Amino acid sequence: MTRQGPLAGLRVLEIEAIGPVPLAAMLLSDLGADVLRVDRPAAPELGVPRDPRFELSARGRRSVVIDLKDPAGVERALCLAERADILLEGMRPGVMERLGLGPDECLARNPKLIYGRMTGWGQHGPLADTVGHDINYIATTGVLHAIGPRDGPPAVPLNLVGDFGGGALVLAFGVLAALHEARASGQGQVVDAAMVDGSLALLAPVIGRWQSGAWRDQREANALDGGAHFYGCYATSDGQAVAVGALEPRFYAALLKGLGLSPDALPPQHDRSAWPAMRARLATLFAQHPREHWVKVFEGTEACVSPVLSIAEAMRHAHLHARGSLLELDGVLQPAPVPRFSRTPGAVAGPPVPRGGGGDEALADWGLAAPG
């Protein structure tokens, strides 16, 4: 299987999982890695029917079905681990060990292997064996508490912070960092990627400002959490919204000019005591006209005012299409590989495959015979 991208020639063994592991594998595959997913004989029951064509995080790799509860299946998986550069797994702590596929067994067969482990709570600690999802992990780290309206419960930021930002991206970053070290030392190692750790890392600037006294530990009380009138979202007369990010003084001046406000008649931009009243004032102004009116008012200015687009609208945005940020594969629109490389651009190797799709070919490429 010929791949292109800066990770071409890299072999990644992905043990079937949900959430961050598939996205991490997608990112590696998009940049040229040959990712082979080990699927169970039967799909896990997620409670929600899904059309595999639209499981975009499953794109770009082949699948081999292996029963990991069968000793013969475990041996086959170990043989694949021998040939892999990286292994990705997202089981609860201890599960891979009970299967006979833990780090000790895999590293004994392949001392250079990078064994990437993705969990919510991490491999050790009082909560390590506790079940949970993205929302639980970001609730524990303080991230969730910081997002949403002052009056009411926190807003759920999809599962972008725990699963994907603090999970998948940290996992992909970690295994590549370990691989870099292994090429110098000749030794593999275990990468313990926990969503609580990754979410805390994403929160690092806020934690620092909180300790300095510059960040208030309540929602809508800070410059970047919707508390400031110059950084937040406003409803428009047509039921849409605009996003305002006028942080710097000259951007703020452009915002006031577009709204017909004189700075001389207003309190200083960073007078926190005036923020609630100013937010109410701006809300009244933005609510007087539809979204497109404000788009035209601020077009070409430095006010940092943008329309809040729906997913459907974003998929048609001229800038994203001009950059090639989106591509269509077998009639399904999806994000292009990221980031971009000047000499070795990545590419999507193919659409999501069914369980076992391309497995025999993959086994042959990895130097193993298909099961008889």
Side-chain angles (χ1 to χ4, degrees), residues 17-359:
I18 61 172
V21 169
L23 186 67
M26 182 200 84
L27 296 171
L28 298 176
S29 171
D30 284 352
L31 298 188
D34 178 7
V35 181
L36 177 58
R37 188 178 67 240
V38 173
D39 279 328
R40 308 168 203 173
E45 177 53 58
L46 300 178
V48 179
R50 291 180 174 177
D51 186 331
R53 293 177 302 158
F54 301 105
E55 293 297 309
L56 301 186
S57 62
R59 73 189 187 188
R61 62 261 211 194
R62 297 172 289 185
S63 161
V64 59
V65 174
I66 299 178
D67 184 357
L68 297 181
K69 294 182 180 180
D70 181 344
V74 171
E75 176 59 28
R76 180 164 287 272
L78 286 170
C79 288
L80 289 170
E82 286 182 8
R83 294 158 170 79
D85 299 293
I86 294 170
L87 182 148
L88 303 178
E89 65 96 358
M91 304 285 193
R92 290 171 65 185
V95 171
M96 290 292 282
E97 284 83 353
R98 290 193 292 272
L99 290 171
L101 291 168
D104 290 345
E105 292 86 354
C106 290
L107 286 166
R109 302 281 283 262
N110 180 359
K112 295 183 179 181
L113 179 68
I114 306 304
Y115 195 104
R117 317 197 78 170
M118 182 79 256
T119 58
W121 305 110
Q123 294 297 315
H124 68 276
L127 294 177
D129 293 325
T130 306
V131 297
H133 282 293
D134 175 294
I135 193 169
N136 307 112
Y137 312 133
I138 66 172
T140 302
T141 57
V143 172
L144 187 58
H145 178 270
I147 301 172
R150 177 193 297 265
D151 301 321
V156 180
L158 307 183
N159 61 330
L160 298 177
V161 179
D163 272 348
F164 301 141
L169 290 178
V170 170
L171 176 62
F173 168 72
V175 295
L176 292 179
L179 183 68
H180 173 75
E181 191 280 336
R183 288 183 170 170
S185 68
Q187 299 178 52
Q189 61 180 307
V190 177
V191 177
D192 176 0
M195 286 179 241
V196 288
D197 298 343
S199 298
L200 283 172
L202 296 176
L203 196 63
V206 172
I207 294 172
R209 291 172 192 151
W210 165 68
Q211 291 176 99
S212 75
W215 186 276
R216 298 182 182 178
D217 197 12
Q218 56 182 295
R219 290 185 293 282
E220 289 192 336
N222 302 282
L224 299 179
D225 66 355
H229 57 290
F230 49 84
Y231 197 91
C233 296
Y234 290 94
T236 54
S237 65
D238 54 351
Q240 302 295 323
V242 293
V244 175
L247 284 170
E248 289 80 359
R250 75 174 193 271
F251 299 165
Y252 184 60
L255 172 68
L256 297 181
K257 181 179 180 181
L259 291 171
L261 296 174
S262 170
D264 296 333
L266 300 174
Q269 178 183 357
H270 292 283
D271 179 357
R272 286 177 179 261
S273 66
W275 284 1
M278 286 298 298
R279 173 167 274 283
R281 187 169 183 178
L282 266 59
T284 299
L285 291 172
F286 277 113
Q288 292 176 359
H289 299 285
R291 187 181 70 182
E292 289 311 304
H293 167 84
W294 296 113
V295 169
K296 292 177 182 177
V297 165
F298 291 107
E299 186 174 10
T301 75
E302 290 188 323
C304 298
V305 176
S306 303
V308 177
L309 303 181
S310 69
I311 292 177
E313 290 174 316
M315 296 303 100
R316 301 190 296 267
H317 197 279
H319 179 78
L320 302 182
H321 282 273
R323 280 185 55 79
S325 299
L326 295 160
L327 57 86
E328 189 172 303
L329 188 62
D330 286 2
V332 178
L333 196 64
Q334 50 201 287
V338 292
R340 301 170 188 227
F341 296 82
S342 61
R343 287 192 303 102
T344 57
V348 179
V353 297
R355 307 178 79 76

